[in-house]
Amino acid sequence: MSELPAPIPEANTHCPYCALQCATQLHGDLDVGVKVRPRDFPVNRGRLCQKGWTATEVLHTADRLTRPLVRGPDGRLREASWETALDTVARGLRGIRAQHGPDAVAVFGGGGLTNEKAYLLGKFARLALGTSQIDYNGRFCMSSAAAAGNAAFGLDRGLPFPVTDLRGAQTVLLAGANVAETMPPLMQHLDQARLIVMDPRRTATARRAALHLQPTPGTDLALALGLLHVAVAEGLVDQDYVHERTHGFDSAARRALAWWPERVEEVTGVPASAQRRAVRMLAEAESAYVLTGRGVEQHSNGTDTVAGFVNLALALGLPGRPTSGYGCLTGQGNGQGGREHGQKADQLPGYRDLTDPAARAHVARVWGVAPDELPGPGRSAYELLDALGGEHGPRALLVFGSNPAVSAPHASHVTERLASLDLLVVADFVPSETALTADVVLPVTQWAEEEGTLTNLEGRVLRRRLLLSPPPGVRSDLQVLHDLAVRLGESAGRYPTEPREVFEELRAASRGGRADYSGISYERLDAGQSLHWPCPDTATTPHPGTPRLFLDRFAHPDGRARFADVDHRGPAEEISSAYPLYATTGRVLAHYQSGSQTRRVAELNKAVPEPFLEVHPDTAAHCGLAERGLAVVVSARGSMTARVRLDATMRLDTVFVPFHFPAVGRANLFTHPALDPRSGMPEFKVCAVRIAPYQE
């Protein structure tokens, strides 16, 4: 009698890409192939985008890293044992710290790391390394929205309401967000709403809009001020709400009164009539939302710009209402949780301020150290990368879950800084562009090979579940941190390797913080409970979580939201005769972030195989460019090469390039590293360039 076939492995988990975190079921193994199908879950309702459907292809990519690599005296990376690789790293770290001090060693994390990894990475940096120099690529994602949200509401959570609330919206303003390409399953929640889309490009989302506002790049705050002016001038402000639930309206309104619609039209190019129509659409709706994205955040005045749109939402009485609100569309898979638990330069677990004595005392107690043993705040992401190898900068860098050689602004400068290091260590599962420049490469697990939690854009804590055992020779990031910490003299018990054990410690460290996870457990998540933070641990009935924030009061001590007194200023770099065009960058449907994963998926790479330059036909003709020809995009910092795409909906003064490609196709070769003074966000979304035919 023949044996019955073994059951095919299955796991309920979530997509490894964006912060929507669509629910999926994986089934199969590497022998029969791993398949993915969507699950019925509130955010995706049984749907996936092209990236989600093809996510399992990365699990068996041909160049998967499975052995540590160490660069030899001849300059070549060669396979090595784990013991050799880890000993090499530990020896290098000890030597650099002994010679230059603890801040000569730095850590760069990622917004795709699980909560457990982000938490242990921050603990490792501050205790095992003793360094203040830790930040992460989420600084490039939504740090401006976080700064503005904390200032306005006393709390930063991307969406302070569930995604499903958007299904009842009558009007939604999407300011700098191209949801149809970056988060396609989210569009089903917006199908019934009248969309107002603010974007310099006529994107796939803008084509679905009832009203498209197409401002000159770098003028978003002027437009926000103009919209608030209309609300004030036309008597559309919710005066009762402003009086009862906010502070600072008068000063914000005075700023806005200087930005009448016709003046705003001169600065932004958006017709005054369209400005008035947009505000009326929002004010007349019984259910309305203002949602911001990277388009308004990735500027050197990004925090002020987001605050300008928050001001508009507050004036209309939207935040903290059951059927209306303001929210930010978080980008990376764990962009929310990734900044809450300690891998950001100025924060401790639970979204605690690193300079707050009470916060330091609480976390130090959980970690078993004295508060004064915790370093202070370090450099923000670009400042950290810019300082690498400098006289007073770090001499060693450990990178987990990021590819700054492609994703950072002024990329040629960043790669030079990486090359100047005494020691560069990269933990990854594919040979990313950053990994290929490293002295030591450590092969780690990827999403379907690990357990953990992530927090999506609505503050919902989710379970990542393992389907596959990792290939022989591959270790988890938690194991890597443990092994390095022990080699650096730390107690083995201080760095757990099991995600569940790390999460239990995270619960304790976050207890009482703004992002309180103490009432969340693997048991509750595995039982199918929907838990949004804050979810404190209660003595009696388990806390149900907080899907909707601010319904009764905002998180400031007095319960009131704050208007911001902000005014428009231009971008760090204006166009000129030498660089007469604005360039803006962004994502496309088929790819994600630096593309190190999606460019390894045949279907996605076939859809968009190379970088492209989107340009108006008249602008292209003036510059000698033709459809499908090669062009060079040049700024004061560098140049990149791209294939020309003519698009008659583009502004005549603006070109667009996606940022997912390496080598000479890196859009970040020309982007500007000017930083927002409050958030540390670089100005990815606008710089001055010229374009010309590519010459061999």
Side-chain angles (χ1 to χ4, degrees):
M1 188 173 182
S2 61
E3 294 184 7
L4 293 173
I8 296 176
E10 291 187 350
N12 287 338
T13 188
H14 294 266
C15 178
Y17 292 116
C18 81
L20 201 58
Q21 284 295 288
C22 296
T24 60
Q25 183 182 71
L26 305 180
H27 55 103
D29 56 37
L30 291 183
D31 291 329
V32 301
V34 179
K35 302 297 182 184
V36 61
R37 52 177 171 247
R39 288 190 287 132
D40 189 17
F41 192 71
V43 298
N44 61 306
R45 300 176 75 235
R47 300 184 187 183
L48 294 175
C49 76
Q50 188 179 20
K51 292 186 292 294
W53 279 113
T54 59
T56 58
E57 295 298 308
V58 186
L59 296 173
H60 51 79
T61 184
D63 58 351
R64 172 70 189 271
L65 294 171
T66 59
R67 295 271 293 175
L69 303 174
V70 176
R71 195 171 299 279
D74 62 355
R76 298 180 63 183
L77 284 170
R78 298 186 187 279
E79 290 187 355
S81 68
W82 271 100
E83 288 67 29
T84 297
L86 292 169
D87 288 346
T88 300
V89 175
R91 185 169 54 251
L93 295 175
R94 284 195 300 267
I96 291 168
R97 288 196 306 169
Q99 184 175 356
H100 302 285
D103 277 358
V105 176
V107 176
F108 199 86
L113 299 179
T114 62
N115 290 318
E116 293 80 359
K117 293 180 188 179
Y119 171 82
L120 204 66
L121 188 63
K123 181 181 180 182
F124 171 84
R126 294 184 171 102
L127 296 191
L129 298 177
T131 184
S132 68
Q133 300 301 295
I134 175 172
D135 211 68
Y136 80 128
N137 65 12
R139 182 76 69 169
F140 300 157
C141 180
M142 58 170 295
S143 57
S144 292
N150 279 321
F153 309 123
L155 188 69
D156 155 47
R157 198 178 86 188
L159 295 185
F161 49 81
V163 162
T164 49
D165 284 5
L166 295 171
R167 295 188 64 78
Q170 293 178 342
T171 301
V172 176
L173 168 60
L174 291 168
N178 181 16
V179 178
E181 291 191 86
T182 59
M183 293 180 173
L186 183 59
M187 287 300 290
Q188 64 189 305
H189 299 286
L190 301 171
D191 280 346
Q192 304 304 312
R194 296 180 300 170
L195 297 183
I196 305 165
V197 174
M198 194 201 83
D199 199 305
R201 303 166 57 223
R202 187 159 181 78
T203 62
T205 310
R207 290 195 292 272
R208 301 270 291 273
L211 178 62
H212 178 202
L213 310 178
Q214 200 168 6
T216 303
T219 64
D220 300 343
L221 181 50
L223 181 54
L225 289 161
L227 298 179
L228 180 57
H229 177 106
V230 171
V232 173
E234 297 194 2
L236 301 176
V237 174
D238 187 331
Q239 296 289 353
D240 290 342
Y241 175 99
V242 167
H243 175 72
E244 294 168 8
R245 302 203 62 187
T246 72
H247 282 310
F249 171 74
D250 289 345
S251 59
R254 280 195 296 272
R255 288 282 189 193
L257 288 177
W259 289 93
W260 57 93
E262 289 74 18
R263 181 190 178 195
V264 172
E265 180 174 349
E266 285 186 12
V267 173
T268 68
V270 176
S273 59
Q275 298 171 47
R276 294 186 173 97
R277 183 184 171 199
V279 179
R280 291 167 187 163
M281 287 172 65
L282 287 167
E284 293 167 3
E286 293 184 8
S287 174
Y289 292 84
V290 174
L291 305 178
T292 59
R294 306 298 80 73
V296 299
E297 297 162 25
Q298 291 178 326
H299 295 272
S300 58
N301 66 343
T303 302
D304 285 355
T305 302
V306 175
F309 286 96
V310 172
N311 284 351
L312 175 66
L314 288 171
L316 298 176
L318 306 183
R321 279 175 47 193
T323 59
S324 296
Y326 162 81
C328 166
L329 298 172
T330 306
Q332 296 189 70
N334 199 31
Q336 184 69 56
R339 70 180 177 278
E340 294 168 0
H341 297 301
Q343 63 171 336
K344 192 163 175 275
D346 54 355
Q347 287 177 194
L348 288 170
Y351 218 136
R352 286 182 157 91
D353 185 345
L354 186 53
T355 63
D356 177 11
R360 294 172 64 85
H362 175 86
V363 174
R365 187 164 53 250
V366 173
W367 288 353
V369 299
D372 60 6
E373 292 183 51
L374 301 181
R379 297 176 174 93
S380 67
Y382 182 78
E383 292 171 314
L384 176 58
L385 296 171
D386 180 48
L388 295 177
E391 182 179 357
H392 301 292
R395 304 299 312 174
L397 178 69
L398 283 70
V399 179
F400 288 79
S402 189
N403 188 17
V406 175
S407 62
H410 201 180
S412 60
H413 174 67
V414 169
T415 52
E416 289 172 0
R417 294 295 85 218
L418 292 170
S420 74
L421 290 167
D422 297 336
L423 178 66
L424 174 60
V425 182
V426 175
D428 211 329
F429 54 83
V430 293
S432 70
E433 288 70 26
T434 305
L436 290 174
T437 69
D439 299 294
V440 180
V441 181
L442 303 176
V444 293
T445 52
Q446 56 173 312
W447 61 287
E449 302 162 354
E450 61 187 22
E451 298 283 329
T453 62
L454 299 98
T455 306
N456 78 345
L457 78 171
E458 53 182 4
R460 186 196 303 255
V461 182
L462 306 167
R463 278 281 277 118
R464 171 173 284 180
R465 294 183 178 87
L466 174 149
L467 175 77
L468 306 171
S469 297
V474 170
R475 298 185 183 183
S476 71
D477 298 82
L478 300 181
Q479 184 71 57
V480 170
L481 293 172
H482 169 94
D483 294 345
L484 285 175
V486 170
R487 281 170 167 79
L488 294 171
E490 288 283 287
S491 164
R494 184 173 273 176
Y495 299 89
T497 60
E498 291 300 319
R500 187 181 296 259
E501 190 176 349
V502 177
F503 191 80
E504 287 300 306
E505 187 178 310
L506 182 157
R507 292 176 64 193
S510 73
R511 187 185 308 275
R514 283 185 287 179
D516 190 336
Y517 282 41
S518 62
I520 302 172
S521 67
Y522 273 39
E523 289 75 18
R524 294 186 72 185
L525 295 175
D526 288 342
Q529 295 187 42
S530 175
L531 300 174
H532 300 70
W533 70 262
C535 183
D537 191 13
T538 53
T540 54
T541 305
H543 193 283
T546 314
R548 294 174 184 84
L549 294 168
F550 313 139
L551 294 181
D552 300 315
R553 66 193 315 277
F554 293 99
H556 288 297
D558 61 3
R560 291 172 175 260
R562 271 55 168 163
F563 281 86
D565 185 357
V566 294
D567 202 1
H568 171 69
R569 66 178 187 276
E573 183 176 69
E574 292 286 359
I575 57 176
S576 64
S577 57
Y579 303 104
L581 299 171
Y582 295 107
T584 188
T585 65
R587 281 173 50 187
V588 297
L589 173 62
H591 289 299
Y592 183 71
Q593 301 301 83
S594 71
S596 61
Q597 294 177 63
T598 52
R599 285 185 276 110
R600 286 173 164 83
V601 177
E603 179 181 325
L604 301 179
N605 207 46
K606 182 179 179 181
V608 185
E610 61 185 350
F612 61 85
L613 171 72
E614 205 168 73
V615 58
H616 191 282
D618 291 351
T619 305
H622 178 74
C623 297
L625 303 180
E627 177 76 18
R628 299 293 303 159
L630 282 176
V632 61
V633 184
V634 184
S635 77
R637 289 155 298 285
S639 63
M640 61 86 68
T641 304
R643 188 76 60 185
V644 175
R645 287 189 183 182
L646 302 183
D647 184 345
T649 70
M650 288 291 292
R651 292 177 56 98
L652 288 165
D653 60 0
T654 302
V655 299
F656 168 79
V657 177
F659 56 68
H660 311 291
F661 297 91
V664 296
R666 285 179 291 174
N668 281 318
L669 289 169
F670 65 73
T671 52
H672 204 298
L675 302 181
D676 182 294
R678 292 167 61 193
S679 68
M681 172 73 81
E683 190 147 80
F684 289 108
K685 283 294 185 265
V686 57
C687 69
V689 300
R690 65 174 180 265
I691 57 177
Y694 174 76
Q695 301 291 333
E696 288 286 352

